[in-house]
Amino acid sequence: EFFPFCKTNSDVQTYKCQLSRAEWVQIDPHRWEFHISSNRFLRGMVRLIVGMSIKVGSGKMSPKEVLNAMDNQSSLPQSFSAPGEGLFLSEVSYPFL
């Protein structure tokens, strides 16, 4: 479940998401891309995951703090939502019914 990565005041009934991919890819020495795939996303989820990654990568948050928030399904300390610039949806697919 991904409660720590959902904007507050969301009216979702469940925080369950099945991530199939979440990885950073280095494009060149100064540019990285984040790729994520899931069966669904919560409101603000991708921006919060990217923001958390930036905080951990810059030493402003520890991986242990993230693990604790995930284990307890509690808010992240110092959550940060990455700006929307540069984020885009590249593909939508639906399973066969």
Side-chain angles (χ1 to χ4, degrees):
E1 296 193 22
F2 288 87
F3 173 82
F5 300 106
C6 184
K7 286 195 174 211
T8 56
N9 300 321
S10 176
D11 62 352
V12 297
Q13 295 181 8
T14 179
Y15 296 97
K16 291 182 181 180
C17 302
Q18 187 176 357
L19 266 64
S20 54
R21 180 182 185 194
E23 68 178 336
W24 285 94
V25 177
Q26 188 169 14
I27 304 305
D28 60 44
H30 304 288
R31 193 170 56 142
W32 290 78
E33 289 181 352
F34 181 67
H35 298 262
I36 187 167
S37 299
S38 181
N39 66 329
R40 69 187 283 249
F41 292 102
L42 303 171
R43 183 172 175 255
M45 182 176 174
V46 175
R47 291 175 62 180
L48 287 165
I49 290 173
V50 170
M52 173 275 303
S53 297
I54 292 168
K55 288 264 190 185
V56 170
S58 64
K60 295 178 181 173
M61 184 184 300
S62 72
K64 188 172 185 172
E65 290 174 301
V66 178
L67 184 59
N68 185 49
M70 290 295 291
D71 286 346
N72 296 309
Q73 288 300 290
S74 59
S75 297
L76 287 168
Q78 310 172 19
S79 73
F80 169 62
S81 184
E85 302 90 43
L87 301 179
F88 64 93
L89 178 65
S90 62
E91 181 182 350
V92 175
S93 62
Y94 295 97
F96 293 103
L97 299 176

